Amino acid sequence: MTEATGIVGEFLGLKEDTDADVLAMQCGDFYEFFADDAELVADELDLKVSQKSSHGSSYPMAGVPVDDLTPYLKALVERGYTVAVAEQHEDDGDIHREIERVVTPGTLLDVGGVDAQYLAAVVRADDGGTDGDASDATYGLAFADVTTGRFHVTTVDGTDATLTELYRFSPVEVLPGPGVRDDGVLCDRIEERTGARLSLPDAASFAPGQAGHVARDHFGDDTFETLGVGDLGVRAAGAVLAYVDETGTGVLASMTRVQPYHGGEHVELDATTQRNLELTETMHGDRAGSLFATVDHTVTSPGGRLLKEWLQRPRRDRATLDERQASVAAFAAGALGREEVRETLDVAYDLERLAARAVGGSADATDLLRVRDTLGVLPELVEAVEASPQLADSPLPDILSRPDRDAAADLRAALADALVEDPPKTTTQGGLFKPGYDDELDEIRDRHEAAQAYFDGLADRVKREHALSHVTVDRNKTDGYYVQVGKSAADGVPDNFEHVKTLKNSKRFRTEELAEKERELFRLEEQRGDLEARLFAELRDRVATRAELLQDVGRAVAEVDVLASLATHAVSNDWNRPELTDERALDVTAGRHPVVEQTVEFVPNDCHMDGERTFTVVTGPNMSGKSTYMRQTALIVLLAQVGSFVPAREATVGLVDGIYTRVGALDELAQGRSTFMVEMQELSNILHSATEDSLVILDEVGRGTATYDGISIAWAAVEYLHNEIRAKTLFATHYHELTGLAEHLERVQNVHVAADERDGDVTFLRTVREGPTDRSYGIHVADLAGVPEPVVDRARDVLDRLRQEKAIEARGSGGGERTKQVVFDLDSGTMTTADGGSEPEPEPKPAIDPETAAVLDELDGLDVDRTSPVELMQRVQEWQERLDGE
Ligand code: ADP
Ligand code: MG
């Protein structure tokens, strides 16, 4: 290929200077893509490719109109590409182009929709944890949303906590710091957990000196110290800021403040728990059917965003919860006021995003009118709240007076005085401002309109003065203004009409006077356009400098929206206000599952736990409702700590510091995601993280492996949770043996989900009752599922035999006795045991190989009471590997 010159050469040159996957280069009214980029974009976005020849070579070329770039950018970024955008500038007729912006998933502006769009940086302490073990290193995390200006910083210990935070914010792009990016395993897990794109800006931007400087420069010298944000957090913050700056978003100034957060304020909810409880999406990844989708009645998108945040980050501090509860209660009681408020909210726009657009310089006149209107919502909300006795006597007036209302009113008035009601989309061609806003503009506008009037009346004048019919006056880009006369009349035009063009049915003319008036008009047009553009930029800057105010108002409006939404749901679903207590109690009367109750006739259930009964073992047949019962309990606690009402007739909820749920690997396997190893890692996490003040939900844990491993692990975990951690725990199991725990451990209670069995038919009652269940109904479920009758009958026989043999107990008792071995003879269809019995002797078994014998010996010798659960797991896993002959 010959060296490209001209425009293609310029394109290829710019492309060389950027790491972006694709370059969009402005050429007049279009953004063009050339060469490989043209092919790629055409492929991905269905654009037409043409050929551009440049000095003997020909290059593929594709383009999009300047005003249409945004949707294309979005589509490319969503497909995983980063796009550099080069803008065209003209100085004294000299045209040059420069890359001003690199668009990545986390720096995409102009997104719609409810979701926050976080860009995250992850920094690890340089020593990488003790013994280079990264899993216990300290991490600094920063999250920035360029579309709203939100900025959060924290430090956490360990990779698990890091992943939990990342899952919570669900960033679309993650910037791993130097140590982190070399840790392939961690990077994989980050990608897997968040689905984010990992981008690698210059490692120097994470360096303590440079990052600290950037962060302090932006947020103020002492901010981080005052807020108690540690060095790693500051480094993460600096790296994110540098990236936002470098990619040219122009919205840096909308990040007006750091929101530090520390573990202590929020209920710990690790990623697995968030997923298990289906807070924002179901296990299948659908939004519908999630807790959020069920309880969301917000009317604004910032409200939706905030509700989601609340659900993902329940609180521990009473003050916040009391305020929210009291507000929800007021909204629940004051139906009239609530409807009034919701109607008022209906016209509110997304102020946080509008603020970011103002700061970034992309806000147009319509955006500023939206700012005006939304600022106007604030006093209306105040009025609606004051008019309702219930709302007036609640925390709502306080919430609404947090933003500076006078400043908001001033800004609103300024915008109202400035802009016309129905402004044009472009900000460069005038028509934006009301008369009286600016003297100079008023004068130019008058002159411009007068000049325009000449053309407006011209057609009529020509007709009249020269007795012509079929006369029109119009303008186009090439000819400017012209008088168009129908062909039949065209011969009658006066001499001073200069012919410029002949069309099929008409001719076009211009005159000396017209040309002169036109010059005058164009000059005024340009003056007016320039002046209005300048005035508009000033106005937009004025709004941009009030970004913080807009964020405050937006926040208050969103909060009111969420509180009204929670009340709306509570009222229409008969939810009630839970009593919050610092005692270690959980007392739920007639509780329901918030999502399941939407679709089925739900049978309510109680849950009573206190200091004496911290541990509940839930048994019951398959499909009876164990998992539902446990999840509903977790969700009731969670909702209570969001400040919401709860699906229960009455509830007293002792505040928890964390909610941990785990579902046995088999259940998870059905979702195609987990293995026994993962199940054990997660169990191990809980055993490390949960405290006396936590709520732990274990659903069929230990299921992902053979019975004896599973039951041993489950047993040991129960003991540890009960004796050492003392967390409030709900534990569902299909191992009936575990119901015996209540006899050994003082704070364990048994409950079961009742089923009624008559004549071999099982009816699920869905009622939770005291005491253990006596048997499994698995065979009945097989029957229900249509397993052929002979198989079902046979299974009943086998089960009966197994029961008689008490095979499990025999094996479980250990103590040096020979283990009973149950053998099922395929030919005769009878059961035998290896140590004899009434049935015929089986074939002699092959001798046990030495490795197996060794494993059995070790198993026999293991003191379960004195071995930590984690060690137990490791041992079991090791044995399994040895038995597999590895
Ligand atoms: P298990 O964990 O015991 O196998 P699940 O909790 O998965 O059972 O519940 C099985 C089905 O029963 C679910 O589809 C759920 O819709 C329904 N269910 C559970 N609890 C109730 C209840 N209290 N009232 C009505 N339906 C319920
Ligand atoms: Mg279940």
Coordinates of all heavy atoms in Angstrom, one line a residue, residues 495-559:
D495 N -36.6 44.1 -15.8 CA -35.3 44.0 -16.3 C -34.2 43.7 -15.2 O -33.2 43.1 -15.4 CB -34.9 45.2 -17.1 CG -35.7 45.3 -18.4 OD1 -36.3 44.3 -18.7 OD2 -35.7 46.4 -19.0
N496 N -34.5 44.4 -14.0 CA -33.5 44.2 -13.0 C -33.5 42.8 -12.3 O -32.8 42.5 -11.4 CB -33.7 45.3 -11.9 CG -35.0 45.2 -11.2 OD1 -36.0 44.6 -11.7 ND2 -35.1 45.7 -10.0
F497 N -34.4 41.9 -12.8 CA -34.4 40.6 -12.3 C -33.4 39.8 -13.0 O -33.4 39.6 -14.2 CB -35.8 39.9 -12.5 CG -36.8 40.2 -11.3 CD1 -36.9 41.4 -10.8 CD2 -37.5 39.1 -10.8 CE1 -37.7 41.7 -9.7 CE2 -38.4 39.4 -9.7 CZ -38.5 40.6 -9.2
E498 N -32.4 39.3 -12.2 CA -31.3 38.6 -12.8 C -31.6 37.1 -12.7 O -31.8 36.6 -11.6 CB -30.0 38.9 -12.0 CG -28.8 38.5 -12.6 CD -27.6 38.7 -11.6 OE1 -27.7 39.8 -10.9 OE2 -26.7 37.9 -11.6
H499 N -31.6 36.5 -13.9 CA -31.9 35.0 -13.9 C -30.8 34.2 -13.3 O -29.6 34.4 -13.7 CB -32.2 34.6 -15.4 CG -32.4 33.2 -15.5 ND1 -31.6 32.4 -16.3 CD2 -33.3 32.3 -15.0 CE1 -32.0 31.1 -16.2 NE2 -33.0 31.1 -15.5
V500 N -31.1 33.3 -12.4 CA -30.0 32.5 -11.9 C -30.2 31.0 -12.2 O -29.2 30.2 -12.2 CB -29.8 32.6 -10.3 CG1 -29.2 33.9 -10.0 CG2 -31.1 32.4 -9.6
K501 N -31.4 30.5 -12.4 CA -31.5 29.1 -12.6 C -32.9 28.8 -13.3 O -33.8 29.5 -13.0 CB -31.5 28.4 -11.2 CG -31.2 26.9 -11.4 CD -31.2 26.2 -10.0 CE -29.8 25.7 -9.7 NZ -29.6 25.3 -8.4
T502 N -32.9 27.8 -14.1 CA -34.1 27.4 -14.7 C -34.5 26.0 -14.2 O -33.7 25.1 -14.3 CB -34.0 27.3 -16.3 OG1 -33.6 28.6 -16.7 CG2 -35.4 27.0 -16.9
L503 N -35.7 25.9 -13.8 CA -36.2 24.5 -13.4 C -37.3 24.1 -14.3 O -37.6 24.8 -15.3 CB -36.7 24.6 -11.9 CG -35.7 24.9 -10.9 CD1 -36.0 26.2 -10.2 CD2 -35.5 23.8 -9.9
K504 N -37.8 22.9 -14.1 CA -38.8 22.4 -15.0 C -39.9 23.3 -15.3 O -40.3 23.6 -16.4 CB -39.3 21.0 -14.5 CG -39.9 20.1 -15.6 CD -39.9 18.7 -15.1 CE -41.2 18.0 -15.6 NZ -41.9 17.4 -14.5
N505 N -40.5 23.8 -14.2 CA -41.7 24.6 -14.3 C -41.6 26.1 -13.9 O -42.5 26.8 -13.8 CB -42.8 24.0 -13.5 CG -43.2 22.6 -14.0 OD1 -43.4 22.5 -15.2 ND2 -43.4 21.7 -13.1
S506 N -40.3 26.4 -13.6 CA -40.2 27.8 -13.0 C -38.7 28.3 -13.3 O -37.8 27.5 -13.7 CB -40.5 27.8 -11.5 OG -39.6 26.9 -10.9
K507 N -38.6 29.6 -13.1 CA -37.3 30.2 -13.1 C -37.0 30.9 -11.8 O -37.9 31.4 -11.2 CB -37.2 31.1 -14.3 CG -37.2 30.4 -15.7 CD -37.0 31.4 -16.8 CE -36.8 30.7 -18.1 NZ -36.7 31.6 -19.2
R508 N -35.7 31.0 -11.5 CA -35.3 31.7 -10.3 C -34.5 33.0 -10.6 O -33.7 33.0 -11.5 CB -34.4 30.8 -9.4 CG -35.2 29.7 -8.8 CD -34.3 28.8 -7.9 NE -35.1 27.8 -7.4 CZ -34.6 26.7 -6.7 NH1 -33.3 26.6 -6.6 NH2 -35.4 25.8 -6.3
F509 N -34.8 34.0 -9.9 CA -34.2 35.3 -10.1 C -33.7 36.0 -8.8 O -34.2 35.6 -7.7 CB -35.2 36.3 -10.7 CG -35.9 35.8 -12.0 CD1 -37.0 35.0 -11.9 CD2 -35.3 36.0 -13.2 CE1 -37.6 34.6 -13.1 CE2 -35.8 35.6 -14.4 CZ -37.0 34.8 -14.3
R510 N -32.7 36.8 -9.0 CA -32.3 37.6 -7.8 C -32.2 39.1 -8.3 O -32.1 39.3 -9.5 CB -30.9 37.2 -7.3 CG -31.0 35.9 -6.5 CD -29.7 35.2 -6.3 NE -28.7 36.1 -5.6 CZ -28.7 36.1 -4.2 NH1 -29.5 35.4 -3.5 NH2 -27.8 36.9 -3.6
T511 N -32.2 40.0 -7.3 CA -32.0 41.4 -7.7 C -30.9 42.0 -6.9 O -30.5 41.4 -5.9 CB -33.3 42.2 -7.4 OG1 -33.5 42.2 -6.0 CG2 -34.5 41.7 -8.2
E512 N -30.4 43.1 -7.3 CA -29.4 43.8 -6.5 C -29.8 44.1 -5.1 O -29.1 43.8 -4.1 CB -29.2 45.2 -7.2 CG -27.9 45.9 -6.8 CD -26.6 45.1 -7.3 OE1 -26.7 44.3 -8.3 OE2 -25.6 45.2 -6.6
E513 N -31.1 44.6 -5.0 CA -31.6 44.9 -3.7 C -31.7 43.6 -2.8 O -31.3 43.6 -1.6 CB -33.0 45.5 -3.8 CG -33.5 46.0 -2.5 CD -35.0 46.4 -2.6 OE1 -35.8 45.6 -3.1 OE2 -35.4 47.5 -2.1
L514 N -32.2 42.5 -3.4 CA -32.3 41.3 -2.7 C -30.9 40.8 -2.1 O -30.8 40.5 -1.0 CB -32.9 40.2 -3.6 CG -33.1 38.8 -3.0 CD1 -34.4 38.2 -3.6 CD2 -31.9 37.9 -3.2
A515 N -29.9 41.0 -3.0 CA -28.6 40.5 -2.6 C -28.1 41.4 -1.4 O -27.5 40.9 -0.4 CB -27.6 40.7 -3.7
E516 N -28.4 42.6 -1.4 CA -28.0 43.5 -0.4 C -28.7 43.2 1.0 O -28.1 43.1 2.0 CB -28.3 45.0 -0.8 CG -27.5 46.0 0.0 CD -27.8 47.3 -0.6 OE1 -27.4 47.5 -1.8 OE2 -28.3 48.2 0.1
K517 N -30.0 43.0 0.8 CA -30.8 42.7 2.0 C -30.3 41.3 2.6 O -30.3 41.1 3.8 CB -32.3 42.6 1.7 CG -32.9 43.9 1.3 CD -33.2 44.7 2.6 CE -33.9 46.0 2.3 NZ -34.0 46.9 3.4
E518 N -30.0 40.5 1.7 CA -29.5 39.1 2.1 C -28.2 39.2 2.9 O -28.1 38.6 3.9 CB -29.4 38.3 0.9 CG -29.0 36.8 1.2 CD -28.6 36.1 0.0 OE1 -27.5 36.2 -0.5 OE2 -29.4 35.3 -0.5
R519 N -27.3 40.0 2.4 CA -26.0 40.2 3.1 C -26.3 40.7 4.5 O -25.8 40.2 5.5 CB -25.1 41.1 2.4 CG -24.3 40.5 1.3 CD -23.2 41.4 0.8 NE -23.6 42.6 0.2 CZ -24.0 42.7 -1.1 NH1 -24.0 41.6 -1.9 NH2 -24.4 43.8 -1.6
E520 N -27.2 41.7 4.6 CA -27.5 42.2 5.9 C -28.1 41.2 6.8 O -27.8 41.0 8.0 CB -28.5 43.4 5.6 CG -29.4 43.7 6.8 CD -29.0 45.0 7.5 OE1 -27.9 45.4 7.2 OE2 -29.7 45.4 8.4
L521 N -29.1 40.4 6.2 CA -29.8 39.4 7.0 C -28.8 38.3 7.5 O -28.8 37.9 8.7 CB -30.8 38.7 6.2 CG -31.6 37.6 6.9 CD1 -32.6 38.2 7.9 CD2 -32.4 36.7 5.9
F522 N -27.9 37.8 6.6 CA -27.0 36.8 7.0 C -26.0 37.3 8.1 O -25.6 36.5 9.0 CB -26.2 36.3 5.8 CG -27.0 35.4 4.8 CD1 -26.4 34.9 3.7 CD2 -28.3 35.1 5.2 CE1 -27.2 34.1 2.9 CE2 -29.1 34.3 4.3 CZ -28.5 33.8 3.2
R523 N -25.6 38.6 7.9 CA -24.7 39.1 8.9 C -25.4 39.1 10.3 O -24.8 38.7 11.3 CB -24.3 40.5 8.5 CG -23.2 41.1 9.3 CD -22.7 42.5 8.6 NE -23.9 43.4 8.4 CZ -24.4 44.1 9.4 NH1 -23.9 44.0 10.7 NH2 -25.4 44.9 9.2
L524 N -26.6 39.6 10.3 CA -27.4 39.6 11.6 C -27.6 38.2 12.1 O -27.6 38.0 13.3 CB -28.7 40.4 11.4 CG -28.5 41.9 11.2 CD1 -29.8 42.5 10.7 CD2 -28.1 42.5 12.5
E525 N -27.9 37.3 11.2 CA -28.2 36.0 11.6 C -27.0 35.4 12.3 O -27.1 34.8 13.4 CB -28.4 35.1 10.3 CG -29.6 34.2 10.4 CD -29.9 33.6 9.0 OE1 -28.9 33.1 8.4 OE2 -31.0 33.7 8.6
E526 N -25.8 35.7 11.7 CA -24.6 35.1 12.3 C -24.3 35.8 13.6 O -24.0 35.1 14.6 CB -23.4 35.4 11.3 CG -22.2 34.6 11.7 CD -21.0 34.8 10.7 OE1 -21.3 35.0 9.5 OE2 -19.9 34.9 11.2
Q527 N -24.5 37.1 13.7 CA -24.3 37.8 14.9 C -25.2 37.3 16.0 O -24.7 37.0 17.1 CB -24.6 39.3 14.7 CG -23.4 40.1 14.4 CD -23.9 41.6 14.3 OE1 -24.9 42.0 14.9 NE2 -23.1 42.4 13.6
R528 N -26.4 37.1 15.6 CA -27.4 36.6 16.6 C -27.0 35.2 17.1 O -27.0 34.9 18.3 CB -28.8 36.6 16.0 CG -29.8 36.2 17.0 CD -31.2 36.3 16.4 NE -32.2 35.6 17.3 CZ -33.5 35.5 17.1 NH1 -34.0 36.0 16.0 NH2 -34.2 34.9 18.0
G529 N -26.7 34.4 16.1 CA -26.3 33.0 16.4 C -25.1 33.0 17.4 O -25.1 32.3 18.4
D530 N -24.1 33.7 17.0 CA -22.9 33.8 17.8 C -23.2 34.3 19.2 O -22.7 33.7 20.2 CB -21.8 34.7 17.2 CG -21.2 34.0 16.0 OD1 -21.5 32.9 15.7 OD2 -20.5 34.7 15.3
L531 N -24.0 35.3 19.3 CA -24.2 35.9 20.6 C -25.1 34.9 21.5 O -24.8 34.7 22.6 CB -25.0 37.2 20.4 CG -25.4 37.9 21.8 CD1 -24.2 38.2 22.6 CD2 -26.1 39.2 21.5
E532 N -26.1 34.3 20.8 CA -26.9 33.4 21.6 C -26.1 32.2 22.1 O -26.2 31.7 23.2 CB -28.1 32.9 20.8 CG -29.1 34.1 20.6 CD -30.6 33.6 20.6 OE1 -30.9 32.5 21.1 OE2 -31.4 34.3 19.9
A533 N -25.2 31.7 21.2 CA -24.3 30.6 21.6 C -23.5 30.9 22.8 O -23.3 30.2 23.7 CB -23.4 30.2 20.4
R534 N -22.9 32.2 22.7 CA -22.1 32.6 23.8 C -22.9 32.7 25.1 O -22.5 32.3 26.2 CB -21.4 34.0 23.5 CG -20.5 34.5 24.5 CD -19.5 35.5 23.9 NE -20.2 36.7 23.4 CZ -20.7 37.7 24.2 NH1 -20.7 37.6 25.5 NH2 -21.4 38.7 23.7
L535 N -24.1 33.4 25.0 CA -24.9 33.5 26.2 C -25.4 32.2 26.7 O -25.5 31.9 27.9 CB -26.2 34.3 25.8 CG -26.0 35.8 25.5 CD1 -27.2 36.5 25.0 CD2 -25.5 36.5 26.8
F536 N -25.6 31.2 25.8 CA -26.0 29.9 26.2 C -24.9 29.2 27.0 O -25.1 28.6 28.0 CB -26.5 29.1 25.0 CG -27.1 27.7 25.5 CD1 -28.3 27.6 26.1 CD2 -26.3 26.6 25.4 CE1 -28.8 26.5 26.5 CE2 -26.8 25.4 25.9 CZ -28.0 25.3 26.5
A537 N -23.7 29.3 26.4 CA -22.6 28.7 27.1 C -22.4 29.2 28.5 O -22.1 28.5 29.5 CB -21.3 28.9 26.3
E538 N -22.6 30.6 28.6 CA -22.5 31.2 30.0 C -23.6 30.6 30.9 O -23.4 30.3 32.1 CB -22.7 32.7 29.8 CG -21.4 33.4 29.4 CD -21.7 34.9 29.0 OE1 -22.7 35.4 29.4 OE2 -20.8 35.4 28.3
L539 N -24.8 30.5 30.4 CA -25.9 30.0 31.2 C -25.6 28.6 31.6 O -25.9 28.2 32.8 CB -27.2 30.1 30.4 CG -28.5 29.8 31.1 CD1 -28.7 30.8 32.2 CD2 -29.7 29.7 30.2
R540 N -25.1 27.8 30.7 CA -24.9 26.4 31.0 C -23.8 26.3 32.0 O -23.8 25.5 33.0 CB -24.5 25.7 29.7 CG -24.2 24.2 29.9 CD -24.1 23.5 28.6 NE -23.0 24.0 27.8 CZ -23.0 23.9 26.5 NH1 -23.9 23.2 25.8 NH2 -22.0 24.5 25.8
D541 N -22.8 27.2 31.9 CA -21.7 27.2 32.9 C -22.2 27.6 34.3 O -21.8 27.0 35.3 CB -20.6 28.2 32.5 CG -19.7 27.6 31.4 OD1 -19.8 26.4 31.2 OD2 -18.9 28.4 30.9
R542 N -23.2 28.5 34.2 CA -23.8 28.9 35.5 C -24.5 27.7 36.2 O -24.4 27.5 37.4 CB -24.8 30.0 35.2 CG -25.4 30.5 36.5 CD -26.0 31.9 36.2 NE -26.8 32.3 37.3 CZ -27.8 33.2 37.2 NH1 -28.0 33.8 36.1 NH2 -28.5 33.5 38.3
V543 N -25.1 26.9 35.4 CA -25.8 25.7 35.9 C -24.7 24.7 36.3 O -24.8 24.1 37.4 CB -26.7 25.1 34.8 CG1 -27.2 23.7 35.3 CG2 -27.8 26.0 34.5
A544 N -23.6 24.6 35.5 CA -22.6 23.6 35.9 C -22.0 24.0 37.2 O -21.6 23.1 38.0 CB -21.5 23.6 34.8
T545 N -21.8 25.3 37.5 CA -21.2 25.6 38.8 C -22.1 25.3 39.9 O -21.7 25.2 41.1 CB -20.8 27.1 38.9 OG1 -22.0 27.8 38.7 CG2 -19.8 27.5 37.9
R546 N -23.4 25.0 39.7 CA -24.3 24.6 40.7 C -24.6 23.1 40.7 O -25.6 22.6 41.2 CB -25.7 25.3 40.6 CG -25.6 26.9 40.5 CD -24.7 27.5 41.5 NE -24.9 27.1 42.9 CZ -25.5 27.8 43.8 NH1 -26.0 29.0 43.4 NH2 -25.7 27.4 45.0
A547 N -23.6 22.4 40.1 CA -23.8 20.9 40.0 C -24.1 20.3 41.4 O -25.0 19.4 41.5 CB -22.5 20.3 39.5
E548 N -23.5 20.8 42.4 CA -23.7 20.2 43.8 C -25.1 20.5 44.2 O -25.8 19.6 44.8 CB -22.7 20.8 44.7 CG -22.5 20.0 46.0 CD -21.3 20.4 46.8 OE1 -20.4 21.0 46.2 OE2 -21.2 20.0 47.9
L549 N -25.6 21.7 43.9 CA -27.0 22.0 44.3 C -28.0 21.1 43.6 O -28.9 20.5 44.1 CB -27.3 23.4 43.9 CG -28.7 23.9 44.1 CD1 -29.2 24.0 45.5 CD2 -28.9 25.3 43.4
L550 N -27.7 20.9 42.3 CA -28.6 20.0 41.5 C -28.5 18.6 42.1 O -29.6 17.9 42.1 CB -28.1 20.0 40.0 CG -28.2 21.3 39.2 CD1 -28.0 21.0 37.7 CD2 -29.4 22.0 39.5
Q551 N -27.3 18.1 42.4 CA -27.3 16.8 43.0 C -28.0 16.7 44.3 O -28.7 15.7 44.6 CB -25.8 16.4 43.2 CG -25.1 16.2 41.9 CD -23.5 16.2 42.0 OE1 -23.0 16.5 43.1 NE2 -22.9 15.9 40.9
D552 N -28.0 17.7 45.1 CA -28.7 17.7 46.4 C -30.2 17.7 46.2 O -30.9 16.9 46.8 CB -28.4 19.0 47.2 CG -27.0 19.0 47.8 OD1 -26.4 17.9 47.9 OD2 -26.5 20.1 48.2
V553 N -30.7 18.5 45.2 CA -32.1 18.5 45.0 C -32.5 17.2 44.4 O -33.5 16.6 44.8 CB -32.5 19.7 44.0 CG1 -33.9 19.6 43.6 CG2 -32.2 21.0 44.6
G554 N -31.7 16.7 43.4 CA -32.0 15.4 42.8 C -32.1 14.3 43.8 O -33.0 13.4 43.8
R555 N -31.2 14.4 44.8 CA -31.1 13.3 45.8 C -32.4 13.4 46.7 O -33.0 12.4 47.0 CB -29.9 13.6 46.7 CG -29.6 12.6 47.7 CD -29.0 11.4 47.0 NE -28.8 10.4 48.0 CZ -28.3 9.2 47.8 NH1 -27.9 8.9 46.5 NH2 -28.1 8.3 48.7
A556 N -32.8 14.6 47.1 CA -34.0 14.7 47.9 C -35.2 14.2 47.2 O -36.1 13.5 47.7 CB -34.1 16.2 48.3
V557 N -35.3 14.6 45.9 CA -36.5 14.2 45.1 C -36.5 12.7 44.9 O -37.5 12.1 45.1 CB -36.4 14.9 43.7 CG1 -37.5 14.3 42.8 CG2 -36.6 16.4 43.9
A558 N -35.3 12.1 44.7 CA -35.2 10.7 44.5 C -35.6 10.0 45.8 O -36.3 9.0 45.8 CB -33.8 10.3 44.1
E559 N -35.2 10.5 46.9 CA -35.5 9.9 48.2 C -37.0 9.9 48.5 O -37.5 8.9 48.9 CB -34.7 10.7 49.3 CG -34.4 9.8 50.5 CD -33.4 10.4 51.4 OE1 -32.3 10.9 50.9 OE2 -33.7 10.5 52.6

